[in-house]
Amino acid sequence: MLREVLRSVSELEYRTELVHGTAAGREIPFGAMARVLRGADAASMATASMATAIRTTVDAYTAAEDTGRHVVAVDDAHLLDPQSAALLHALAADGRVRVVLTVDTEADAPDAVTAVWKDLGARWVAVRPLGVEEVAEVLSGVLGGPVDAALVHAVAHMAQGNPLWVRELVRGACESSALSRAGSGLWQLVDELPFPARLHHLACRQWGGSSQASHDVAVWLAVAGGRLPLHHLERVADWEAIAGTEAEDVVTVELGAQGDAVRLAHPLHGMFLRHRTPNLDQRRWRGLLAESLLADPRTTPAGLARALRWRGAGGAPDEQRVLEAARVARDSGDYHVGMELAGMLEAGERTCPEAAVIAGECRLWLGRAGDAEACFQSAIDVPGPTAAVAAVGSAARLFAESGRAQHSCDQLAAAAREADEPLRGVAVALRAGFAAATGRVDEALAMLDSAAGAPRPAFAEIGALTAAGRPLDAVAAADRPGRRAGGFQPPSDLDQIALVIALGYAGDHDRARQRARAGYREAVRAQHRPAQAMWAHALGELAELTGDLVTALPLLVEASTIMRAHPVVRGPPARARCLADVVEVAGLSGRRERAARALAEAAELPPDSGRVPRLVAARARWGGDDAGEPADALWTCAADAQAAGARLEAARSLLCLARLGFAEQAAQRLDDLAGELQGPVAALWVRFVRVLAEAAPEVLLDTATALREHGLALLAVEAAASAAVALRRAGRFGEAAAVGCRVLCVDEFGPLDLLPRKGKAWRPAKRPERLRATYTRTQGATRRFADISPAVLRDVSEPHLGRGQDH
């Protein structure tokens, strides 16, 4: 920031001088400010009295010909020697020299430096730590592409907002090949973040002044993962040492209703101390901590898993306690811990069916579908009532691979007939969820109606109602009681994601966005890759719906990349829809190469997935110069979706056909659907297609206003662009130019690539960025099209617009 300030003032022809404060220079009078001393050499100034040296230097600046055009910048001003600090204060007080300082707020600065902002009125700019979103922006800019949220979260957590540490962590990850770029262009973390040697050097300097007692307490926390309950730390460390460590800001004590805990003040401290501590010492200390954790009945499932891991083969675990902890971890979404605890019981002499089921469920939701199926099969092979529970868990795999869906459904139906009522409710929900995900919406709703009254998860009903074009009913169904089912409880991510999509199409975009962001952050924090993919897709679809293309594209790329690497819930159909959204957003953003890559990836999907209406629409709009054949396929998809009850997808397909130039035919088909669609989004789709068919400019502009008021900003721009075309065809060139220029100057979407709707063939729009640049060169860079009155635009544009269609 300091260099940027100096660069800016240099362009204004100020004379700049940069001074660096150092710890070593504190012992030398005027050592740091030797470069700015005037009127005598530095040696004579050092031997003169302080008052003489300061007066001579200030007078020299006053007598200079360019008085008032000087900037003295000091980096790390808190490290200045007293004489240099006094000279700096005198220069700032005189007013003929502008002073810019950087100060570490956690360090003690000389009084003269503090007085610059306290007494002389200098502007104080507090540089706060980088947030997660800012770290994401920095990484995407430095790496030159979209960045996986897991990588962003890991760097942001370890660096704690310090830009220097962000830089060193990413540099170390690149040098150690811990970063990898997928074929989609997404940067991912394929290994743990390393501890670079440059950071090790900085950490050594920071720890040089800490006491031995603080060091020992910090090591206990480091080998324990960075955090321990206070009463466990008290068993291995002295209380006075713990209190002294807190006073030195090495640790932080957290007071809570569930118990007090102590954690390291910075995650990098743990990396540094583990790096310096011999492995045998770490093993011995972890063994002592394990015994303390195992003896405490209040130990959390995560703590119990760590303790058993540290103890190793030192003794057989308490099966009931471990099983109960595995249940708690699974139900709370801590799948890594649940899988580890259940795996400890699986590895015994005899198979514990429930442990195998828990391990399978956790593996399934961590993206390890093959391992999950093996766990479920091992539970089914054990005679007894748990076979039905395992069959239900195995049926959840149908969302991971649609090719195995029918086999899983048959197995599930056979097991559920002999199961209790809650288990049958879950079985029906899973089968209905698969039917809705593959477009058989009426069949899914019929299944749910047949099991009315049975407690079941909400995702199937909410998803089916939303796909049927009834998002208002879906939102109401989410609040219906009796959702919890015994025996098997799918993760709440599915329920919440289904609700977010329903809220989006119900028009409650703010509430949907808030829920989606919270779920996405939690999935990233907990390292649940399938859940991260689902939340990223939901957030991207919501951003696309509201026209936030800049946010939508990296989210959708992230979701499609994870789906390719991990078999996630809802499988190829969901992946096809995600790739279709990537194509649509990339195409609208002018990223034709990105859209082409997504279409090529979609071509590798199973044939059934290729018939997803959204993907067919993406191929029709962005797949090539001739949209005739894809458009015919899209008409067929729209008819099939309507016949199967997927009215929302049918309406979306007809909207795409209207954009391709078939507005009149699409409007006729939408009239048959309009009475069965709920919510403002679908209603505005219908209205947009109707006015597009009418091509009345005033009605199109009114529709654009209504679309923007309801949050559909991108569709509003398309309506305004269509109005400009209609005005031009009517010979109203001045009004057309005014509307068209406002469309070109919409900055909130980034560069837009809107397609003209002329017959079955389409071509890219004339380059709007070039048109905007041409105007700014001729009329001045500070003016915008939207600021010019229609009369002026008419006077300027009419003589030229009449010369040909290309103008």
Side-chain angles (χ1 to χ4, degrees):
M1 290 183 66
L2 186 61
R3 291 195 182 100
E4 181 64 20
V5 169
L6 295 179
R7 186 194 63 78
S8 300
V9 298
S10 296
E11 293 177 355
L12 299 175
E13 298 182 355
Y14 277 77
R15 181 175 177 178
T16 62
E17 294 177 275
L18 177 60
V19 174
H20 296 276
T22 61
R26 270 186 161 175
E27 305 300 326
I28 305 173
F30 294 108
M33 300 289 286
R35 294 181 57 185
V36 302
L37 293 175
R38 297 192 172 196
D41 56 59
S44 61
M45 285 291 188
T47 57
S49 67
M50 181 186 299
T52 301
I54 292 174
R55 184 172 60 254
T56 302
T57 303
V58 173
D59 290 343
Y61 274 101
T62 303
E65 295 180 358
D66 53 352
T67 299
R69 307 294 294 178
H70 291 272
V71 174
V72 174
V74 183
D75 190 20
D76 290 335
H78 55 281
L79 296 178
L80 290 178
D81 60 275
Q83 292 83 356
S84 294
L87 173 58
L88 184 70
H89 181 273
L91 290 172
D94 183 74
R96 292 179 175 84
V97 179
R98 299 178 184 271
V99 175
V100 185
L101 313 176
T102 66
V103 179
D104 186 352
T105 55
E106 297 181 358
D108 293 329
D111 293 341
V113 171
T114 304
V116 171
W117 63 265
K118 183 172 67 71
D119 300 330
L120 301 182
R123 183 183 177 190
W124 175 280
V125 180
V127 183
R128 61 176 176 80
L130 296 177
V132 175
E133 294 181 356
E134 291 152 338
V135 171
E137 185 176 353
V138 169
L139 294 186
S140 62
V142 170
L143 297 175
V147 182
D148 182 18
L151 169 60
V152 174
H153 185 273
V155 173
H157 172 68
M158 296 305 299
Q160 294 290 290
N162 187 317
L164 171 64
W165 294 344
V166 169
R167 184 188 72 184
E168 296 303 328
L169 284 170
V170 174
R171 174 182 289 176
C174 291
E175 292 173 353
S176 66
S177 301
L179 290 185
S180 174
R181 194 170 194 179
S184 61
L186 184 74
W187 285 95
Q188 293 178 295
L189 190 64
V190 295
D191 200 353
E192 291 185 2
L193 280 174
F195 192 71
R198 293 159 61 100
L199 273 184
H200 185 273
H201 176 68
L202 293 175
C204 285
R205 292 178 57 189
Q206 183 173 356
W207 277 95
S210 63
S211 63
Q212 184 62 40
S214 296
H215 180 270
D216 292 343
V217 172
V219 169
W220 280 111
L221 290 170
V223 298
R227 187 177 184 276
L228 269 179
L230 179 57
H231 61 277
H232 287 297
L233 185 59
E234 287 178 321
R235 294 181 183 179
V236 294
D238 182 68
W239 169 254
E240 293 183 358
I242 298 173
T245 308
E246 183 186 15
E248 294 180 17
D249 292 330
V250 175
V251 303
T252 300
V253 178
E254 301 172 343
L255 306 179
Q258 302 299 323
D260 302 336
V262 183
R263 64 173 177 83
L264 288 171
H266 199 289
L268 280 177
H269 294 170
M271 291 182 67
F272 169 72
L273 293 171
R274 285 192 295 273
H275 184 74
R276 295 187 62 182
T277 304
N279 291 334
L280 287 177
D281 288 345
Q282 291 189 47
R283 184 175 182 274
R284 179 173 61 85
W285 290 340
R286 283 172 178 164
L288 296 174
L289 288 172
E291 297 303 324
S292 176
L293 290 169
L294 291 173
D296 187 359
R298 298 173 295 175
T299 300
T300 63
L304 182 61
R306 287 203 310 269
L308 292 172
R309 189 192 317 132
W310 294 340
R311 189 176 64 172
D318 183 344
E319 181 173 323
Q320 289 302 318
R321 185 182 180 190
V322 173
L323 188 60
E324 178 60 30
R327 291 192 201 104
V328 172
R330 176 203 61 187
D331 294 342
S332 62
D334 200 348
Y335 304 123
H336 287 284
V337 173
M339 178 183 67
E340 184 177 358
L341 289 170
M344 294 176 182
L345 298 180
E346 277 189 291
E349 297 180 357
R350 62 184 182 85
T351 300
C352 175
E354 186 177 359
V357 172
I358 293 173
E361 292 169 7
C362 293
R363 285 180 169 90
L364 183 69
W365 298 110
L366 288 172
R368 299 167 57 177
D371 295 341
E373 188 176 33
C375 293
F376 293 136
Q377 192 59 51
S378 66
I380 293 173
D381 293 341
V382 177
T386 55
V389 179
V392 172
S394 182
R397 180 177 167 80
L398 61 86
F399 290 107
E401 292 184 34
S402 61
R404 300 290 304 277
Q406 192 58 52
H407 168 74
S408 297
C409 282
D410 292 343
Q411 184 184 29
L412 174 62
R417 280 194 293 269
E418 302 176 359
D420 56 6
E421 188 68 21
L423 189 58
R424 285 198 296 270
V426 176
V428 169
L430 288 169
R431 298 177 68 191
F434 172 71
T438 52
R440 297 177 285 120
V441 178
D442 283 343
E443 181 182 340
L445 291 174
M447 288 182 191
L448 294 169
D449 290 339
S450 67
R456 58 179 180 267
F459 70 90
E461 186 172 5
I462 297 174
L465 288 172
T466 304
R470 298 161 56 187
L472 301 181
D473 292 343
V475 174
D479 299 327
R480 196 173 301 157
R483 291 296 181 190
R484 296 290 179 181
F488 177 79
Q489 180 183 325
S492 61
D493 290 296
L494 283 177
D495 295 357
Q496 293 297 321
I497 289 171
L499 178 57
V500 162
I501 299 299
L503 288 169
Y505 288 103
D508 195 349
H509 298 145
D510 291 338
R511 185 179 168 197
R513 194 178 296 110
Q514 182 180 6
R515 283 175 174 261
R517 285 174 177 168
Y520 175 68
R521 293 192 188 104
E522 178 58 27
V524 172
R525 184 199 64 78
Q527 303 178 27
H528 300 162
R529 299 294 278 176
Q532 179 183 339
M534 291 188 296
W535 279 116
H537 186 197
L539 258 178
E541 183 176 349
L542 187 61
E544 177 190 0
L545 181 67
T546 56
D548 189 359
L549 302 183
V550 176
T551 301
L553 186 58
L555 285 168
L556 293 170
V557 169
E558 176 183 319
S560 65
T561 303
I562 297 175
M563 288 179 179
R564 182 183 181 91
H566 300 275
V568 298
V569 290
R570 294 180 291 183
R575 187 177 165 205
R577 287 192 292 274
C578 184
L579 287 170
D581 290 335
V582 172
V583 174
E584 181 71 13
V585 175
L588 284 171
S589 304
R591 308 280 295 277
R592 293 299 184 90
E593 294 182 0
R594 171 66 264 178
R597 288 204 304 271
L599 284 173
E601 186 177 343
E604 302 172 0
L605 295 174
D608 291 343
S609 304
R611 291 195 292 269
V612 171
R614 204 176 301 186
L615 183 56
V616 176
R619 288 197 183 105
R621 195 172 185 194
W622 306 102
D625 291 335
D626 185 7
E629 184 177 346
D632 293 339
L634 188 54
W635 282 113
T636 303
C637 279
D640 292 344
Q642 185 175 356
R647 299 172 186 84
L648 189 67
E649 286 298 331
R652 187 195 300 272
S653 301
L654 294 170
L655 173 66
C656 181
L657 285 163
R659 287 166 156 173
L660 289 172
F662 304 95
E664 294 182 5
Q665 303 94 312
Q668 294 174 2
R669 292 280 294 275
L670 271 174
D671 286 339
D672 300 333
L673 275 174
E676 301 178 80
L677 297 173
Q678 293 179 349
V681 172
L684 287 168
W685 285 358
V686 174
R687 178 178 173 180
F688 173 77
V689 174
R690 285 173 178 168
V691 299
L692 205 61
E694 297 172 3
E698 289 76 13
V699 180
L700 279 166
L701 290 174
D702 291 341
T703 302
T705 302
L707 287 164
R708 184 169 284 279
E709 289 175 351
H710 285 82
L712 306 183
L714 181 59
L715 211 57
V717 171
E718 293 194 43
S722 300
V725 173
L727 286 168
R728 189 182 67 181
R729 289 174 179 170
R732 299 158 63 179
F733 299 116
E735 297 172 72
V739 174
C741 291
R742 285 184 171 86
V743 171
L744 290 177
C745 287
V746 175
D747 293 331
E748 60 188 289
F749 309 112
L752 281 178
D753 193 354
L754 301 178
L755 304 180
R757 306 166 184 85
K758 184 179 179 181
K760 292 187 177 182
W762 56 265
R763 59 185 174 82
K766 293 292 183 180
R767 296 174 288 274
E769 292 295 331
R770 181 177 176 183
L771 293 175
R772 188 186 306 179
T774 302
Y775 176 79
T776 54
R777 282 199 303 270
T778 58
Q779 299 293 336
T782 60
R783 302 185 65 187
R784 297 166 54 89
F785 280 128
D787 299 329
I788 306 172
S789 68
V792 173
L793 282 168
R794 182 163 53 249
D795 295 340
V796 173
S797 60
E798 280 185 346
H800 305 284
L801 289 173
R803 294 180 182 175
Q805 288 294 326
D806 286 342
H807 292 81

